[in-house]
Amino acid sequence: MPTIVAPEPATGTPIPEALPVPEATLPPQPRATPVPVPPTAPPVTGEAPAELLERLLADVIARTGAERDEIVVVRDEAVVWPDGSLGCPEPGMMYTQALVEGYHVVFDVAGVFYDYRVDSRDAFRLCENPVGEPPTVAPTR
């Protein structure tokens, strides 16, 4: 094994070139597969304002082409999101690190779930890759 010599602080002697050290070869690591966590309580419905629900339904209809009677509201509840990502962060984006009151709305269209995240200004987005813990239930408005 080669000896590495550190420079003398007072003299400023240069460090001799070090020999390359082979990197350890690690065995391939298995990829993690996300597993859905079963809900701890049944979903709540009836808490989102009617006008917000109508806007979200219009978005689902535009995305899917489904008829209104084919769409089932699985969840529409007032929640507090842990930060500005609304539990659905996008890579490379920065979010406010404060609690955000809003709504969590989920529709079922022929067995496909559409998970909408809504902030306190009623701005919404469809979340295709939710992460983290479910939001906490918001205090009664």
Side-chain angles (χ1 to χ4, degrees):
M1 179 180 265
T3 304
I4 298 176
V5 179
E8 297 278 330
T11 64
T13 309
I15 299 174
E17 273 191 46
L19 297 173
V21 178
E23 292 185 25
T25 305
L26 298 175
Q29 299 297 315
R31 293 187 141 193
T33 304
V35 178
V37 178
T40 55
V44 174
T45 58
E47 293 186 346
E51 59 199 32
L52 172 64
L53 212 50
E54 288 301 317
R55 289 177 40 221
L56 297 176
L57 278 166
D59 190 72
V60 170
I61 290 168
R63 288 176 188 274
T64 64
E67 296 293 324
R68 190 180 193 96
D69 62 349
E70 298 172 317
I71 301 170
V72 177
V73 179
V74 176
R75 170 187 307 269
D76 75 294
E77 67 181 319
V79 297
V80 177
W81 299 105
D83 60 34
S85 74
L86 310 180
C88 193
E90 295 179 22
M93 296 293 293
M94 294 180 64
Y95 300 96
T96 182
Q97 296 301 302
L99 299 176
V100 177
E101 288 189 21
Y103 297 95
H104 187 198
V105 180
V106 179
F107 299 104
D108 179 353
V109 182
V112 178
F113 294 91
Y114 293 83
D115 183 339
Y116 284 87
R117 310 303 176 94
V118 185
D119 68 14
S120 57
R121 298 168 302 175
D122 288 345
F124 67 85
R125 68 183 205 195
L126 179 63
C127 182
E128 296 179 12
N129 298 306
V131 296
E133 295 295 316
T136 58
V137 176
T140 306
R141 294 179 184 220

